[in-house]
């Protein structure tokens, strides 16, 4: 393994990655969130096609979903930097405080930013955005507590700040199925049709978000 790190190509690659996660961290975190958003939506569209809810891929939907990363990525970038300044250290007490703050502050703000940004991109009415936020957002926030509480305990204990947005995006891909279920489910007593649901963007990561 030590010999591998001495290979010129590997050393050059390692140096470039180091620069991306230090000098250009904001750009890197934003690019990761945008890219993972596109991947997440493509995975979801593949699932929809397998369920025969879509006849072909919708690239416009993927682009819109990915574009939410331009808001979500920077938001979490600065959130994690601020959180480490306010609550430095890795003691059990500090980690618990960070996790609680993340769930009480960052998570609801992230969900609101996602639905708000997506609403603007899809030119949805304010009423539609509020309905999505109250119904789908509430469901996602409940699951957020179940999934992201243990995930963030690991995040805050083991990872340096610069890798946290990347970690969030990787973990988010593991829970696409449930977010898809929430997004494409009908509201009890509502009027949303399957066709309307298929136009919605699948809820990811992000939504915790990144």
């Amino acid at each position: 393994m030590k010999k591998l790190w001495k290979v010129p190509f590997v050393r050059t690659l390692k140096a470039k990655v180091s620069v991306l996660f230090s000098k250009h961290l904001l750009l890197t975190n934003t690019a990761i969130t945008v890219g993972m958003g596109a991947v997440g939506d493509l995975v979801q569209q593949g699932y929809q096609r397998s369920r025969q809810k879509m006849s072909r891929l919708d690239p416009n939907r993927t682009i819109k979903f990915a574009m939410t990363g331009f808001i979500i990525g920077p938001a979490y970038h600065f959130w994690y930097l601020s959180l480490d300044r306010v609550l430095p250290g890795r003691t059990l007490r500090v980690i618990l405080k960070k996790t609680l703050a993340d769930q009480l502050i960052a998570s609801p703000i992230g969900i609101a930013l996602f639905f708000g940004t997506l609403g603007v991109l899809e030119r949805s009415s304010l009423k539609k955005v509020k309905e999505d936020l109250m119904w789908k957002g509430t469901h996602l926030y409940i699951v957020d507590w179940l999934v992201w509480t243990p995930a963030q305990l690991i995040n805050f204990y083991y990872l340096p700040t610069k890798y946290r947005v990347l970690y969030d995006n990787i973990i988010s891909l593991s829970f696409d199925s449930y977010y898809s279920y929430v997004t494409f489910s009908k509201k009890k007593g509502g009027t949303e049709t399957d066709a309307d649901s298929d136009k919605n963007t699948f809820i990811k990561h992000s939504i915790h978000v990144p």
Side-chain angles (χ1 to χ4, degrees), residues 143-164:
V143 175
D144 201 285
W145 274 90
L146 299 175
V147 172
W148 284 100
T149 299
Q152 291 298 70
L153 288 172
I154 295 172
N155 192 359
F156 293 130
Y157 184 77
Y158 289 105
L159 297 179
T161 308
K162 61 184 179 180
Y163 296 128
R164 286 179 184 158

Side-chain angles (χ1 to χ4, degrees), residues 4-200:
L4 179 62
W5 292 115
K6 293 180 180 180
V7 176
F9 170 76
V10 175
R11 291 175 63 182
T12 301
L13 181 62
K14 182 181 177 182
K16 289 184 177 180
V17 170
S18 179
V19 171
L20 288 176
F21 281 93
S22 55
K23 188 180 296 185
H24 305 298
L25 185 58
L26 174 59
L27 179 61
T28 300
N29 283 336
T30 302
I32 288 172
T33 308
V34 171
M36 293 294 252
V39 171
D41 184 68
L42 288 172
V43 169
Q44 172 55 24
Q45 288 198 44
Y47 171 77
Q48 284 183 269
R49 292 183 69 189
S50 70
R51 295 287 300 275
Q52 297 183 338
K53 286 191 174 184
M54 292 182 70
S55 59
R56 58 184 179 181
L57 290 175
D58 183 353
N60 289 328
R61 187 181 110 169
T62 301
I63 291 172
K64 290 176 182 177
F65 192 88
M67 287 180 69
T68 64
F70 286 109
I71 302 297
I72 302 299
Y76 272 83
H77 167 86
F78 289 111
W79 165 251
Y80 284 133
L81 291 177
S82 300
L83 197 60
D84 278 349
R85 280 197 295 266
V86 176
L87 296 170
R90 294 190 183 185
T91 64
L92 178 59
R93 185 172 182 177
V94 169
I95 291 172
L96 290 175
K97 285 183 177 180
K98 283 183 176 180
T99 302
L100 185 61
D102 193 72
Q103 292 302 116
L104 292 177
I105 301 173
S107 182
I109 290 177
I111 291 173
L113 282 174
F114 176 84
F115 281 108
T117 303
L118 193 59
V120 171
L121 293 172
E122 294 186 337
R123 298 181 180 179
S124 300
S125 65
L126 183 59
K127 181 181 178 181
K128 175 67 165 56
V129 174
K130 287 181 178 179
E131 287 179 352
D132 284 347
L133 187 57
M134 291 301 296
W135 181 63
K136 298 173 183 176
T138 299
H139 279 74
L140 292 173
Y141 186 54
I142 293 172
V143 175
D144 201 285
W145 274 90
L146 299 175
V147 172
W148 284 100
T149 299
Q152 291 298 70
L153 288 172
I154 295 172
N155 192 359
F156 293 130
Y157 184 77
Y158 289 105
L159 297 179
T161 308
K162 61 184 179 180
Y163 296 128
R164 286 179 184 158
V165 172
L166 172 62
Y167 171 85
D168 279 0
N169 278 280
I170 293 173
I171 294 297
S172 294
L173 286 176
S174 303
F175 303 100
D176 284 350
S177 295
Y178 180 78
Y179 292 141
S180 170
Y181 168 78
V182 172
T183 306
F184 297 109
S185 292
K186 296 180 181 179
K187 289 179 289 186
K188 189 177 285 188
T191 58
E192 189 175 12
T193 65
D194 288 340
D196 291 331
S197 293
D198 287 344
K199 292 179 182 178
N200 287 329

